[in-house]
Amino acid sequence: MKKLRLRPIILILFAVLTVPVVVAIVAINYIANDRTARANAHELVERFRGEALQNIQNTFDPIKSLVRSAAEVGKASPGFYGDNGSLPYLLTILRHSDRMVAMYVGQEDGSFRQARRLDADGGVEGDRAPAGTRFALRWMPPLDVDGRRLDNFAYLDDTGQLLGQATRATGYDPRIRPWYRQTVEAGGLHITDPTVFAIFDLIGFTVSAPYHEGDRLLGVAAVDITLDGLSDYLAENRISPGTRSYILDHGGRVIANSEGARTYATRDGQLEIRHVTSLEEELPAIAFSARPRDGSDRLYTFRHEGREYVATLSTLKPEFGKRWQLFIVTPIHEFTAALEKNNIRLLALGLGALVLQILIIWVFSGVVSKPLERLAMKVSALQEPGRNDSPPLDSSIREVAVLSRAVETLDKTVRSFAAFVPWGLVRQLVDSERKLELGGQSRFLTIFFSDLESFSTLSEELPSRELMLRVSAYLETVTRAVNREAGTIDKFIGDGVMAFWGAPNLLEDHAWHACVAAMRIQREMVAVNERWTGKDDRPLNVRIGIHSDAVLVGNVGSAERMSYTVMGDGVNVAARLEGINKVYGTRVCISHSVFKEAGDRLLVRPIEDVAVKGRRTTIPIYELLGVRGADAELEPDERAVTLAEMTRRAYSALVAGDKEAALRHYREVLASFPEDTVAKRMIASVEANMQDAAARPPAC
């Protein structure tokens, strides 16, 4: 069962009791504020919608009344608009509102009277007006006897002073214009669909009304109105900075907007008003697509780019005369932002108080639990070498101080014990909590012996201190390589080292790990020897023997003094293989059982079958040239692969009994590798055997 730590338990209990309360307070406050903000947003949208619809109605009702009045004048005085005396009256109506572009009357006899507003430095029908012109009076009498019509202009400044006149022939006939025909067909007040007044670069429409004498149509009075004032109204009366407001015609085309953006474009040479879904900004198109399909004007919500919006699409009252729509889109976050800031402050305050309380609890719990935890970690670290390097615990609590001294004594004892006993055995003893006892068991292991070449000669040549330093560097290299490959150092025998793999802990591929350790030692000894190359000292050459066999492993000795070691014939074979290196001039010699265990991951070359003291049969031995699958630096190079292949051919011929072929192949090896001691040894051995065979008398 997993044990719980004291300090976390204290903190967890505090958090379980406190955090839910803080979270609940913040959550309840957030939900309440969010509901309030949303309700406020909906209320403002509803209020703005009502006010805007009423404002639109109020804006155009007076203009429609003026058009009706102008029509009534024509009805009451049928000849009034047939005379230029009506032009000042039309100009007076035009001055009534800046939204009106032109006030005009077309009659059934083809005559036309108009007062129109001009842009600065503008003109009429292509004619350039005099500088300072603000209004133009225009009149066209009926066709003359020759079927011609004259178009006459009088240009006025802002005070009504005449600045100039112009006359030109024209083919203009008011009776065939859309505003005239549609009004006649409607039979009463008529509002055209929005269009673009190119001369003013503005969107507008025409309000017109017919007038009669009895049942006879006399003419049509009309006024052109721009919608830029509606855009100004929408821009000045935003619900929030991010609110978008649009006035759409019955087809969804934008005739006014709060952004003041141009909502028409040229298409096939004609100016067309854009649909709300074709504007540069993506938001109105998404909002329009999300509208209710039942035709209601209720508020609805949607999300765009991670933000929530509320929108409404409302149609003007039928008495307005056109099915225009007011389209409002507003972001919810602009209403909830202030409340969200308050929520964040509340959350920060709650978290701050919670953190402060946790810190207080943490400090308080540390006074009690920290010394105990440090001692627990120190005891736990006894199972791993090199981890227990923390200083002794000095506590003002008497019980903790006594326990700390006991742990320090135990730590020193275990460290001293591990210097003489394999650390794996020490870990087993600590983990199992059993008493160390004599005894062993049979196990298939890999045994390793190493020794220094010509150590006796070296000890005579070097001063004792330098000899000790060099031997220590060698022993440290061997120990590091064995530990890295999960081996166990058994003992140091003078300049020799005995180690084994597979005990006390089981190890897969123990033969291969032993071979990797051997190659690491050979490679790292190159760096060790380089430390003394400047002194012209003889390098330290390490000879290694490796053998895998079933041996007895365990604690041997007496109850007072014992040693964890391996015993058996396999140990003698490994020691013999280390010594055989002297005979063949090799560095690492392994047995056939090692080669069989490690397989193709070893690069070896066969030497020959040798007899081992105490055994009746000979065993094949190999020189280890490299290992595959460990580190790149240990991978065999091409020379080693070539040497192994050439030696293998010679050895195969020798085993087959073809001494001549074997001798030839060994000489080929020597030719390619002149310093190869194995080839030299085998050539001498084969030649001696051939001479003995030649000198021996033939059998009878």
Side-chain angles (χ1 to χ4, degrees):
M1 180 178 177
K2 187 177 180 180
K3 301 296 188 299
L4 301 178
R5 296 175 60 189
L6 177 61
R7 196 172 196 181
I9 289 176
I10 297 175
L11 291 175
I12 291 173
L13 288 176
F14 174 78
V16 168
L17 296 174
T18 306
V19 172
V21 176
V22 176
V23 172
I25 293 174
V26 173
I28 293 172
N29 186 74
Y30 175 82
I31 294 173
N33 288 342
D34 185 71
R35 288 178 178 175
T36 302
R38 290 175 180 274
N40 184 43
H42 287 197
E43 181 183 351
L44 289 175
V45 171
E46 289 284 5
R47 184 188 305 169
F48 176 73
R49 177 173 64 176
E51 292 176 354
L53 292 175
Q54 188 62 45
N55 182 271
I56 295 172
Q57 195 82 25
N58 295 339
T59 298
F60 295 107
D61 281 350
I63 295 176
K64 289 189 288 185
S65 297
L66 290 173
V67 173
R68 290 192 184 98
S69 298
E72 287 297 325
V73 170
K75 178 180 179 181
S77 302
F80 180 70
Y81 292 117
D83 186 86
N84 287 346
S86 62
L87 290 174
Y89 172 70
L90 296 178
L91 180 60
T92 300
I93 295 177
L94 181 66
R95 287 178 178 270
H96 184 271
S97 173
D98 292 339
R99 293 194 179 97
M100 294 192 296
V101 176
M103 180 68 201
Y104 47 92
V105 176
Q107 300 195 102
E108 272 295 294
D109 62 0
S111 63
F112 182 75
R113 299 288 187 280
Q114 181 188 59
R116 68 183 303 169
R117 197 181 305 274
L118 293 184
D119 195 6
D121 302 323
V124 180
E125 301 299 327
D127 290 337
R128 192 73 175 175
T133 299
R134 291 295 177 267
F135 300 98
L137 301 179
R138 183 181 183 186
W139 65 95
M140 287 180 284
L143 295 175
D144 59 17
V145 294
D146 297 327
R148 296 180 304 171
R149 188 190 304 274
L150 296 178
D151 197 357
N152 303 281
F153 302 94
Y155 299 107
L156 309 177
D157 62 13
D158 196 42
T159 63
Q161 294 295 320
L162 180 66
L163 300 178
Q165 289 183 304
T167 301
R168 63 181 179 83
T170 181
Y172 182 86
D173 189 341
R175 295 168 296 185
I176 63 175
R177 306 300 293 177
W179 58 270
Y180 193 98
R181 290 187 292 102
Q182 293 174 7
T183 304
V184 173
E185 292 172 0
L189 185 73
H190 176 68
I191 301 176
T192 65
D193 290 333
T195 186
V196 179
F197 296 153
I199 188 172
F200 290 98
D201 196 27
L202 295 171
I203 297 175
F205 63 98
T206 301
V207 179
S208 55
Y211 58 93
H212 302 76
E213 184 179 23
D215 294 333
R216 183 170 67 91
L217 176 68
L218 296 180
V220 173
V223 61
D224 290 340
I225 305 171
T226 64
L227 297 175
D228 57 316
L230 291 180
S231 295
D232 294 339
Y233 172 79
L234 296 178
E236 294 169 0
N237 294 273
R238 293 175 185 263
I239 302 173
S240 68
T243 298
R244 307 286 194 274
S245 304
Y246 305 89
I247 297 178
L248 313 178
D249 67 2
H250 66 278
R253 298 184 303 166
V254 181
I255 57 181
N257 67 94
S258 60
E259 306 308 300
R262 178 171 175 168
T263 58
Y264 53 90
T266 303
R267 181 177 180 182
D268 298 330
Q270 299 293 325
L271 289 174
E272 290 188 356
I273 303 175
R274 290 182 176 179
H275 194 272
V276 68
T277 59
S278 64
L279 299 178
E280 285 79 2
E281 192 177 7
E282 187 180 22
L283 178 62
I286 294 175
F288 190 78
S289 300
R291 72 190 185 280
R293 300 301 178 178
D294 57 4
S296 66
D297 60 355
R298 59 184 172 84
L299 272 66
Y300 62 93
T301 59
F302 67 96
R303 299 192 69 85
H304 174 57
E305 295 182 348
R307 289 186 171 180
E308 187 177 4
Y309 294 81
V310 61
T312 178
L313 185 64
S314 307
T315 304
L316 270 70
K317 296 179 180 180
E319 53 265 28
F320 179 72
K322 302 297 289 186
R323 294 180 56 250
W324 288 3
Q325 297 172 307
L326 176 63
F327 185 37
I328 305 171
V329 182
T330 188
I332 291 292
H333 75 272
E334 292 188 353
F335 298 90
T336 61
L339 296 177
E340 287 177 354
K341 289 182 179 179
N342 290 333
N343 288 336
I344 292 174
R345 293 191 188 99
L346 179 61
L347 178 61
L349 181 62
L351 291 178
L354 184 62
V355 169
L356 180 60
Q357 294 177 51
I358 290 177
L359 289 176
I360 295 174
I361 297 298
W362 176 264
V363 173
F364 175 76
S365 63
V367 173
V368 178
S369 64
K370 191 173 182 180
L372 298 178
E373 290 179 353
R374 287 181 58 186
L375 289 176
M377 293 175 59
K378 202 170 187 68
V379 173
S380 176
L382 292 174
Q383 302 177 23
E384 296 294 336
R387 281 187 54 196
N388 210 358
D389 54 357
S390 59
L393 177 63
D394 185 15
S395 175
S396 56
I397 302 175
R398 181 176 179 277
E399 290 77 4
V400 175
V402 172
L403 183 59
S404 175
R405 287 194 295 270
V407 171
E408 289 298 323
T409 302
L410 177 62
D411 178 37
K412 294 176 182 177
T413 303
V414 171
R415 286 176 179 266
S416 301
F417 185 54
F420 298 95
V421 179
W423 183 258
L425 180 61
V426 176
R427 184 184 293 112
Q428 278 190 349
L429 291 173
V430 174
D431 293 341
S432 65
E433 301 178 356
R434 293 183 302 177
K435 182 180 179 181
L436 189 63
E437 298 177 348
L438 292 173
Q441 58 180 330
S442 179
R443 189 180 294 182
F444 189 79
L445 306 178
T446 297
I447 302 96
F448 166 104
F449 276 90
S450 72
D451 197 1
L452 287 178
E453 180 182 270
S454 303
F455 179 71
S456 298
T457 303
L458 189 66
S459 62
E460 295 175 356
E461 296 177 352
L462 294 177
S464 299
R465 179 176 177 79
E466 185 173 339
L467 177 65
M468 183 63 69
L469 291 175
R470 297 186 67 175
V471 172
S472 297
Y474 145 69
L475 294 177
E476 182 181 350
T477 300
V478 175
T479 302
R480 184 169 56 249
V482 172
N483 290 336
R484 181 172 178 180
E485 296 301 323
T488 300
I489 298 291
D490 187 304
K491 59 177 67 73
F492 299 108
I493 312 167
D495 63 320
V497 179
M498 177 182 173
F500 51 87
W501 277 258
N505 297 323
L506 294 176
L507 178 66
E508 293 288 338
D509 296 333
H510 50 78
W512 181 75
H513 281 285
C515 293
V516 172
M519 296 309 296
R520 289 193 192 282
I521 293 169
Q522 295 295 340
R523 183 170 184 83
E524 292 179 14
M525 283 304 297
V526 174
V528 172
N529 287 323
E530 287 179 354
R531 300 178 191 174
W532 289 277
T533 53
K535 302 179 181 180
D536 297 328
D537 287 332
R538 182 187 304 172
L540 299 181
N541 296 322
V542 182
R543 297 182 302 222
I544 298 172
I546 305 174
H547 176 59
S548 297
D549 206 343
V551 295
L552 182 66
V553 57
N555 299 313
V556 298
S558 65
E560 290 76 19
R561 184 176 180 83
M562 60 184 69
S563 174
Y564 186 81
T565 186
V566 294
M567 296 185 299
D569 181 59
V571 179
N572 298 329
V573 173
R576 172 63 175 153
L577 291 177
E578 183 275 317
I580 285 177
N581 285 296
K582 300 178 184 179
V583 179
Y584 296 97
T586 55
R587 292 284 183 268
V588 183
C589 188
I590 68 173
S591 65
H592 181 70
S593 62
V594 174
F595 176 62
K596 183 172 63 175
E597 286 292 317
D600 294 337
R601 287 183 291 176
L602 302 182
L603 177 66
V604 300
R605 62 167 174 168
I607 300 177
E608 65 176 331
D609 296 355
V610 299
V612 180
K613 184 178 180 180
R615 287 198 174 193
R616 296 180 181 179
T617 59
T618 60
I619 62 172
I621 63 173
Y622 305 84
E623 181 184 9
L624 180 62
L625 300 177
V627 291
R628 299 183 178 92
D631 294 340
E633 60 184 14
L634 302 182
E635 293 287 333
D637 55 20
E638 293 184 3
R639 283 179 56 83
V641 174
T642 302
L643 177 60
E645 183 61 32
M646 295 177 70
T647 306
R648 193 175 296 113
R649 286 198 298 266
Y651 179 76
S652 298
L654 184 63
V655 172
D658 189 350
K659 296 181 179 179
E660 292 291 342
L663 191 59
R664 184 175 67 255
H665 288 310
Y666 277 121
R667 286 174 177 163
E668 291 174 355
V669 173
L670 197 59
S672 299
F673 302 90
E675 301 300 325
D676 185 45
T677 56
V678 173
K680 292 178 181 180
R681 167 73 181 182
M682 295 308 298
I683 290 173
S685 177
V686 173
E687 288 178 343
N689 288 337
M690 292 175 66
Q691 290 175 3
D692 290 345
R696 190 180 305 118
C700 297

